[in-house]
Amino acid sequence: LSSGINAEYGGNVGFTCMMGKRKQQTKPPRMAGRTNWEKLKSTVAPQVAHVDKRQRRTPPASEPPPSPIITAPSVPQTCVPQTCVLRDKLSDNVTHRLALDCEMVGSGKDGTENQLARVSIVNVYGDAIYDKIVSSREPITDYRSHITGLNKQLIEKAGVKFKIAQTEVAAILKDKVVIGHDVQHDFKVLGFSHPKHLIRDTAKYKPFKALAAGNTPSLKKLCAKLLDSEIHNNTVHDSVEDARNSLLLYRKHRAAWERSLKKRKKMNKREKEEENRSDSEEDPLKD
């Protein structure tokens, strides 16, 4: 039959039919790329038994879904940036390891002096436990809105006093392992320090610095190379998401990171013992 039809219509019908079939086999739509937070949840959340696909769409009543991750759409720098949005649901699960990130505005004549404007803390599971906008102690001359998503109206409306935020954050972080990126700047604008042995800084970890030829790598570069994800692409920075990204980087390399710290601690202890032994042997007044 096919050969007869092809002969009558010039031999192109069979080819056309085949092409028509191919056109009907459209590819399923591509799913949006998973966020870093989804990757983190997949590594932290316990394994669950296989369930029917229809049941996967709705989480069980006993396990409410996590708060939605608020991200800014990709827009050109010439467009009005999205404003900062705080998390309205916070966890009360304060774990031993916490991730910290702050957003800063500028003060001074040229706006280059950093002032705390937002501080966010997430626990080891990536759940936000603290997220507040902070009123500046100094007059703000640069809101850095294209980065912070903050403006005068938002800070005046939602900002808490600096002293309140400082006291609350210091109490939460006390005796905790704090993870962050270039976290020294965060502690500087917070106005207090943290024990060095309790800090895990993704900007100072040597294997991460090696990716930037020994220089300080940006969080954006680390996420692109180690997490295969893109952040800060013409969007405002989200301090909750940045804290989660630092946490994810740490968790992915935690075993090697902690081993290197233990090894360094042993070496420092051995060097100190040798130094004390040498001093005692050279001391003529001893005994």
Side-chain angles (χ1 to χ4, degrees):
L1 176 60
S2 174
S3 60
I5 295 174
N6 288 342
E8 183 177 353
Y9 292 95
N12 293 327
V13 174
F15 177 75
T16 304
C17 292
M18 291 300 293
M19 290 300 290
K21 290 183 179 180
R22 291 183 179 178
K23 291 180 179 179
Q24 292 176 359
Q25 297 176 355
T26 57
K27 295 183 179 179
R30 295 181 62 184
M31 300 298 292
R34 297 200 308 169
T35 63
N36 287 347
W37 171 227
E38 290 172 339
K39 293 180 182 179
L40 175 61
K41 290 294 285 186
S42 67
T43 60
V44 176
Q47 297 295 324
V48 297
H50 176 75
V51 296
D52 186 78
K53 290 183 178 180
R54 290 172 294 181
Q55 296 177 354
R56 292 178 184 173
R57 297 175 183 175
T58 306
S62 59
E63 297 180 9
S67 301
I69 307 306
I70 304 172
T71 56
S74 179
V75 295
Q77 290 285 7
T78 54
C79 295
V80 177
Q82 178 182 346
T83 57
C84 157
V85 181
L86 296 176
R87 299 303 189 273
D88 56 353
K89 294 182 180 180
L90 300 174
S91 171
D92 59 359
N93 184 11
V94 181
T95 55
H96 180 62
R97 286 178 170 81
L98 302 171
L100 167 73
D101 190 74
C102 297
E103 297 297 340
M104 307 166 199
V105 293
S107 65
K109 185 177 180 180
D110 53 0
T112 57
E113 298 178 16
N114 291 330
Q115 299 293 331
L116 179 65
R118 181 184 178 188
V119 54
S120 304
I121 304 173
V122 303
N123 63 19
V124 75
Y125 304 109
D127 299 323
I129 64 172
Y130 191 93
D131 188 24
K132 290 187 179 181
I133 294 174
V134 183
S135 298
S136 175
R137 294 179 295 177
E138 302 291 338
I140 301 173
T141 55
D142 186 357
Y143 287 89
R144 304 171 185 173
S145 298
H146 65 288
I147 297 176
T148 64
L150 297 169
N151 53 48
K152 181 178 180 180
Q153 293 76 16
L154 189 56
I155 292 180
E156 289 181 350
K157 180 180 179 181
V160 300
K161 291 184 177 180
F162 173 83
K163 194 64 179 179
I164 293 176
Q166 182 189 52
T167 302
E168 292 175 341
V169 172
I172 293 173
L173 300 183
K174 185 178 180 181
D175 299 327
K176 301 293 192 299
V177 174
V178 177
I179 303 153
H181 187 79
D182 226 358
V183 75
Q184 61 180 340
H185 299 297
D186 298 314
F187 284 117
K188 184 175 181 179
V189 295
L190 282 165
F192 63 88
S193 59
H194 197 69
K196 185 177 180 180
H197 72 280
L198 292 177
I199 292 177
R200 305 293 184 269
D201 194 334
T202 55
K204 305 299 182 184
Y205 185 44
K206 285 186 177 181
F208 292 173
K209 292 183 69 174
L211 299 175
N215 299 316
T216 300
S218 66
L219 184 59
K220 179 177 180 177
K221 176 176 288 188
L222 291 179
C223 287
K225 290 192 174 184
L226 300 177
L227 303 180
D228 192 26
S229 63
E230 296 184 359
I231 63 172
H232 304 166
N233 287 336
N234 296 329
T235 61
V236 298
H237 294 196
D238 186 332
S239 50
V240 171
E241 282 301 311
D242 286 350
R244 285 172 175 168
N245 285 325
S246 298
L247 173 66
L248 186 55
L249 287 166
Y250 168 75
R251 287 190 63 87
K252 188 173 182 180
H253 299 266
R254 174 181 171 181
W257 196 325
E258 294 300 329
R259 280 198 303 268
S260 67
L261 291 176
K262 289 182 180 179
K263 184 177 180 180
R264 186 187 307 170
K265 184 177 180 180
K266 289 181 179 179
M267 291 178 61
N268 291 340
K269 183 179 179 181
R270 189 181 302 114
E271 290 176 357
K272 187 174 182 179
E273 290 176 349
E274 292 177 355
E275 182 178 349
N276 291 338
R277 189 182 304 111
S278 177
D279 291 343
S280 61
E281 292 175 354
E282 295 177 0
D283 189 354
L285 300 178
K286 187 176 180 180
D287 298 334

